[in-house]
Amino acid sequence: MTDLLTVAGLETQFRTREGLVHAVNGVSFNLKEGETLGIVGESGCGKSVTVMSMLRLIPSPPGKVVAGQAIYQGKDLLKMSDEEIRHIRGAQISMVFQDPMTSFNPVLTIGRQLAEPLEIHNGLSLQQAYDRAVQMLEMVGIPRAKERLNDYPHQFSGGMRQRVMIAMALICSPQILIADEPTTALDVTIQAQIVELVKRLRDELGMAIIWITHDLGIIAGLADRVSVMYGGYIIEEALVKELYANPTHPYTLGLLNSLPRMDETDHRRLYSIDGLPPVLLEKPNYCPFAPRCAYAVEHCWHENPSLIPVGPGHTVACWVDPATGRER
Amino acid sequence: MGRYIARRLIYLFVVLFVVSVITFGLMHAVPGGPFDREKKLPKEIMENLNKRYHLDEPLVMQYGRYMYDVMIPHFSIKAPTSSLLDDHLFNVKVGPIWIKWMNFGPSYSSRSRTVNDIFRDQLPISMQLGLMALFVALVIGLPLGILAALKQNTIFDYLGMSVAIFGVSVPVIVLGPILIYIFGVSLKLLPPTGWGAKPPYVLGFLPAKLDWNFWKYAIMPPIALGLGSSAIIARLTRASLLQVIREDYIRTARAKGLQERLVITRHALKNSLIPVVTILGPMFAALVTGTFVTELTFGIPGMGKYFVTSITNRDYPVIMGTILLYVVFLVIANLVVDILYAYLDPRIRYD
């Protein structure tokens, strides 16, 4: 399979009152056709900023993509003109956002908002676009789709709205769907429904997916490959089975240990990683996880590790091998 | 919606009742009366005047009499006369019977006029001025606010907001004479004072002929009066639009590949107008019922001066009339604003 999207050395900063925030520090990854890539990490680790930077949706000022490239179909998304990237947004790369309550315009009907990408990118008339919108709504499982076109977002429940959001993202048959924590704001039962829906749509439509989440449980059943982010860096990347079977970075280990397990028999306290997420006001010259890391050695405080291969398709940014506790 | 409007109109009468009681009480509580002069009138004359206008009766009687004259329709076979004590705002003839309604009473200080005369002659002029000022305020304020928000922290923003700050800080009493001096006295392009419209008016307040004879008087005053309001609208529009373009759904619109122009016109503007519409209600009521300083500066025979002089003169019927008129305008303007909300935001429904 060929690479659909290649991101290299992406760096994004925000100018704030407190100083320059280094939100994303040289992130590189690639996405193959039809593949599902999971990006995992805690709040503020830079996962959303990474994908928003790619589509140039970072509010600027204060945000700025200062380095890197994102090659899609031989062209750099970060260097193309505003008009060029506009034709890619929503048509070839589209996004589903976290909060379905606030991500729809409250004063426009669902039909109007669904039809917009088709009008802009495919030159369809409003009527043609409405017909296609009905098909999409039926596809994502909205009952009485035709009547509901004239409803406003507040007349839908949260789960239904996220379905409509997915329909809207897929209405132009994009090659890449970026889902930015699409299930975080939903009930657990609805979360499962949305994940199932996306899986089904992926099998039917064959688009590649970048799924951002902090929920390792969702990723396990959905992604082909996972990138774990911490403090604006990707610190581990592996095929999904490899990552769960053989987590190597102490942070990934910590995350997996923090999951409550159904088959737990001894009633111990749920594990949590000590300390707080890093303040990103400076680019550290040490490992950003070192202050919270149980395995940290002297070396970790002097040099920030870069990704090194530890297995087939498995890379990790750590000086220490947690299996032995010794420096690599 | 119909039921909602009906309910609000009933509520208008409740407000009118409460305001009338408070106003009536307050104006009688203030020392002095309408016929007090520096040199006292002879006792007999005072007594006769008080008797004629029923000022010698207990306050409750006076209030009841006033409300009876204003609220209760009178039926009579006599045609309306020009009598000062029997001048009704609405006169309808049904068969041989005249139905007369709303007698607001005579003015105590302008001896030959009734409050209804003021409503008929002065109010239309104030409404013409006020509506044009509101138009000026919107035409200047909205684009200025939108431009400032879209070009935030650029020269356009600073320039626009400077104009806005100039607008709020320079009162009509300064701006008016400057305009008069430049365009009226130096350049002699426009008459410095006066007003061009004369009765009869279309629909009770619109001038019958919109020719140069009307417009030459109607350029400077609406600008002088509207500029302050335009500044308020500009700042409000800017703040509101700045907030809206940070909303998630604006990001969604951009992520869909919409042109920036469409993002603003289709997704941001309608949402950002709600605070602006909110302020239009009270602004409308304040502008159309007369503006004392503007009308005085430009020599416009509007309602404005009656708001002020009626109180210093203890001209009880004029005080009551002008205040109640203001209440009617305010409540109806706010009702229109609430109906506009429902149009702007489908989440707001009144059934």
Side-chain angles (χ1 to χ4, degrees), chain A residues 52 57 86 89-90 97 102-108 112-113 116-117 119-121 152 154 165 168, chain B residues 247-260 262 266-268 270-271 344-347 349:
Chain A
M52 302 258 259
L57 289 171
R86 195 172 68 68
R89 285 181 197 150
F97 295 99
T102 57
S103 294
F104 278 106
N105 190 330
V107 306
L108 297 178
R112 190 82 201 74
Q113 298 188 58
E116 270 183 331
E119 282 180 279
I120 299 158
H121 299 300
Y152 289 92
H154 69 275
M165 187 53 112
M168 189 160 77
Chain B
E247 293 282 347
D248 284 352
Y249 54 81
I250 298 299
R251 187 182 58 189
T252 308
R254 292 208 174 105
K256 284 196 285 189
L258 259 69
Q259 293 93 325
E260 197 57 26
L262 271 182
R266 195 184 282 165
H267 287 268
K270 211 173 149 192
N271 280 295
L344 284 172
D345 191 337
R347 285 170 298 182
R349 283 284 169 268

Side-chain angles (χ1 to χ4, degrees), chain B residues 205-313:
Chain B
F205 71 97
L206 292 169
K209 268 202 307 193
L210 288 170
D211 51 9
W212 177 241
N213 195 36
F214 171 75
W215 286 116
K216 67 179 176 186
Y217 293 105
I219 292 174
M220 289 191 295
I223 291 176
L225 179 57
L227 201 69
S229 305
S230 82
I232 297 168
I233 290 177
R235 290 202 65 90
L236 207 62
T237 308
R238 175 181 182 272
S240 166
L241 191 56
L242 275 179
Q243 197 185 345
V244 167
I245 55 181
R246 276 164 185 56
E247 293 282 347
D248 284 352
Y249 54 81
I250 298 299
R251 187 182 58 189
T252 308
R254 292 208 174 105
K256 284 196 285 189
L258 259 69
Q259 293 93 325
E260 197 57 26
R261 181 176 51 80
L262 271 182
V263 172
I264 300 302
T265 53
R266 195 184 282 165
H267 287 268
L269 267 188
K270 211 173 149 192
N271 280 295
S272 67
L273 281 181
I274 284 191
V276 182
V277 167
T278 309
I279 202 173
L280 285 184
M283 201 177 256
F284 169 84
L287 287 176
V288 297
T289 51
T291 39
F292 180 67
V293 177
T294 311
E295 289 174 3
L296 195 70
T297 309
F298 290 96
I300 298 166
M303 282 258 316
K305 74 165 181 188
Y306 290 96
F307 274 92
V308 180
T309 56
S310 67
I311 293 171
T312 50
N313 291 337

